[in-house]
Amino acid sequence: MPLLERLARLNRTAVFVAALVVVLFGLFLPKPVGGLILLAVAGFLIAIMSTTWRVQPSSTRVLRTFVLVFLVLTGLTRTF
């Protein structure tokens, strides 16, 4: 998959900081917009997780699932 190969080549620190900035925008923007941003990030995370689920260790799966649940619940709370 060319998209995953390109994502794997990105600088992990830069990707983490960019994701953190987007999540912070989602948390601090006004309610409906911020919630939609968080739900979009959760959707992207679901797409990545569904593709890479089989090759991730169990501890990583648990952590990613907690982050996903946090994003979805926070996004829904801030949207409605």
Side-chain angles (χ1 to χ4, degrees):
M1 299 188 124
L3 176 62
L4 291 179
E5 290 173 5
R6 284 190 301 201
L7 289 174
R9 282 187 253 135
L10 294 175
N11 182 350
R12 292 181 184 191
T13 304
V15 171
F16 174 77
V17 170
L20 181 64
V21 167
V22 171
V23 169
L24 288 174
F25 273 131
L27 290 173
F28 291 114
L29 284 175
K31 276 205 173 195
V33 175
L36 292 174
I37 289 174
L38 292 176
L39 290 174
V41 171
F44 182 72
L45 183 60
I46 289 171
I48 295 291
M49 283 176 59
S50 67
T51 305
T52 62
W53 188 260
R54 290 176 278 148
V55 297
Q56 295 299 321
S58 296
S59 60
T60 304
R61 290 178 185 177
V62 170
L63 179 63
R64 288 182 180 200
T65 303
F66 281 136
V67 169
L68 177 64
V69 168
F70 169 75
L71 281 174
V72 169
L73 288 177
T74 307
L76 288 174
T77 303
R78 295 202 39 88
T79 300
F80 300 109

